[in-house]
Amino acid sequence: MSDGLRGVVVCHGKLAQGLVEATESISGVTGALVPVSNTDCDRQLLEERVAEAVGGRPSVVFVDLASGSCLFAVLKRLRTLESVRVVTGVNLAMLVDFVFHRDLAPEAAAERAAAAGTKAIRIP
């Protein structure tokens, strides 16, 4: 894992891996994001996967939905950690922005990523 703020992408099925791979392909930045899937695990195991991915480092955790098993596991395990922020509704635009701004504090990086992700949503 490279230096800087850690990004953890927690999603249902294979979505996290796909988002991480796409972000790396677009940005050229590797090792900045860790994918976590809820596949084949109960909530306890998912919480353990999330905690291992964060690894005690300052992090932004990106979750696919604003409800459900992924968010519940993240909040239960990480809600008391001041160096971790959570962003729901993860999309590719916010992850690409995040990998180029990992020098920010977790709160600032989370706010910036959420703004980039929101701005990318359009009806052309």
Side-chain angles (χ1 to χ4, degrees):
M1 183 62 61
S2 59
D3 293 332
L5 194 57
R6 178 169 287 184
V8 177
V9 184
V10 184
C11 299
H12 291 79
K14 298 178 183 179
L15 181 58
Q17 184 65 40
L19 285 168
V20 169
E21 289 174 2
T23 301
E24 290 178 344
S25 177
I26 291 166
S27 69
V29 176
T30 59
L33 299 171
V34 178
V36 176
S37 173
N38 72 343
T39 299
D40 297 326
C41 66
D42 60 15
R43 187 150 116 196
Q44 178 64 34
L45 181 55
L46 182 55
E47 288 177 27
E48 291 170 14
R49 287 178 182 178
V50 169
E52 182 179 332
V54 168
R57 290 183 47 185
S59 303
V60 176
V61 180
F62 299 93
V63 182
D64 55 1
L65 297 173
S67 186
S69 62
C70 293
L71 180 64
F72 297 148
V74 167
L75 292 179
K76 183 171 184 216
R77 185 57 71 108
L78 304 176
R79 77 173 58 169
T80 61
L81 300 179
E82 292 186 26
S83 63
V84 176
R85 292 295 179 266
V86 178
V87 178
T88 63
V90 66
N91 64 34
L92 191 54
M94 70 174 58
L95 294 177
V96 170
D97 185 84
F98 172 79
V99 298
F100 290 116
H101 297 95
R102 294 181 318 125
D103 57 330
L104 298 173
E107 185 172 346
E111 289 174 6
R112 181 182 174 95
T118 300
K119 186 177 179 180
I121 299 169
R122 308 235 179 208
I123 300 173

